[in-house]
Amino acid sequence: ARQIVGAFANKAWRRPLTTAEVDKLMGLFALVVEQGDGFDEGIRLALKAVLVSHHFVYRVELDADPESPEEHPLTDWELASRLSYFLWSSMPDDELMALAEAGQLNNLEELEKQVRRMLASPKAAALVDNFAGQWLYTRALEDASPDIWYFEAWSEELRESMRAEAWLTFHAFMREDRSLLDLVGGETSFINDVLADHYGMDDFYALSGTFVEVDMTSVHRG
């Protein structure tokens, strides 16, 4: 039981537990078993306790001296969580956890290697959804309701096309390691037939719904 609960809690809390923390969880297990509810129910209660803990619900960073104004380095475990939730919006994978356990993540060379590995992963799409969605404010498209008397061309299809344009543009910037000037300058963008019609690009041609990267210097999109 201690093995099961300890392994689960290590993953859920994204760090090794202290002996006292495991003992506390095992106290719940023991209580259930003593009352005659059996092994499985004891495990179930201990795992529930792991999942309702603030150590699981929040990304906790412990400070030995919370009152001190002095900065202090993150532990390797805390750094693994920061990396993972920023780049993937999810918990650290086995490789990050293994490096944290080995004390290797605070090595700058290893840190850069991991960032590049994580950005190359399909999970990095979460960075486009969440970071770019907030930074570029594309999430506001959800609530946009232009007056259809003035904007007769507005439609749900146009809304989704605009969202996809921003997503694809930032995704290409990130995955292809493009210059920030490309993002700011707006010399290219990803357009489908709906957007081409909206932007007045008469010479655009592509299959319906297909997004194509095109030169936008003539329409001053910077």
Side-chain angles (χ1 to χ4, degrees):
R2 191 178 185 92
Q3 238 181 342
I4 293 169
V5 173
F8 182 83
N10 281 357
K11 195 159 225 181
W13 291 4
R14 304 169 292 277
R15 63 170 175 80
L17 274 67
T18 64
T19 301
E21 287 172 329
V22 179
D23 288 344
K24 196 171 180 180
L25 293 168
M26 292 310 298
L28 295 171
F29 170 82
L31 182 65
V32 171
V33 173
E34 284 166 13
Q35 292 179 351
D37 286 329
F39 182 90
D40 288 355
E41 285 305 312
I43 292 288
R44 191 190 308 275
L45 183 63
L47 298 190
K48 278 184 180 179
V50 170
L51 295 177
V52 299
S53 167
H54 65 284
H55 290 288
F56 173 70
V57 178
Y58 298 104
R59 183 171 52 77
V60 175
E61 293 175 357
L62 301 174
D63 189 342
D65 186 7
E67 301 298 320
S68 171
E70 296 297 318
E71 63 184 28
H72 67 282
L74 296 173
T75 68
D76 284 73
W77 299 102
E78 292 166 347
L79 186 52
S81 281
R82 274 208 191 182
L83 277 176
S84 189
Y85 282 99
F86 177 54
L87 298 178
W88 286 348
S89 297
S90 183
M91 65 187 295
D93 65 357
D94 289 342
E95 184 167 339
L96 281 176
M97 296 286 270
L99 287 166
E101 188 171 6
Q104 292 295 312
L105 269 186
N106 269 295
N107 175 305
L108 291 181
E109 193 174 308
E110 185 60 52
L111 188 60
E112 179 177 346
K113 178 183 171 185
Q114 288 304 310
V115 169
R116 291 188 180 280
R117 174 183 76 87
M118 294 171 75
L119 286 175
S121 165
K123 293 183 187 177
L127 185 64
V128 186
D129 293 332
N130 297 320
F131 175 70
Q134 294 175 66
W135 180 43
L136 302 176
Y137 215 56
T138 54
R139 288 180 174 179
L141 279 167
E142 287 286 349
D143 305 315
S145 299
D147 188 331
I148 59 171
W149 292 102
Y150 290 99
F151 302 100
E152 296 177 7
W154 180 256
S155 67
E156 283 303 311
E157 192 177 17
L158 181 57
R159 185 201 306 269
E160 288 307 313
S161 296
M162 286 177 164
R163 192 201 318 277
E165 177 186 10
W167 196 97
L168 290 165
T169 299
F170 190 83
H171 188 260
F173 159 72
M174 180 188 75
R175 289 300 298 273
E176 297 172 20
D177 200 18
R178 298 186 181 188
S179 165
L180 184 60
L181 295 177
D182 292 347
L183 191 64
V184 175
E187 292 186 357
T188 68
S189 193
F190 289 83
I191 304 297
N192 65 357
D193 54 327
V194 175
L195 289 171
D197 183 56
H198 183 67
Y199 297 148
M201 301 171 68
D202 298 329
D203 57 348
F204 177 86
Y205 176 76
L207 294 174
S208 178
T210 302
F211 280 84
V212 179
E213 186 171 15
V214 298
D215 188 302
M216 299 293 281
T217 50
S218 63
V219 289
H220 306 294
R221 291 295 305 282

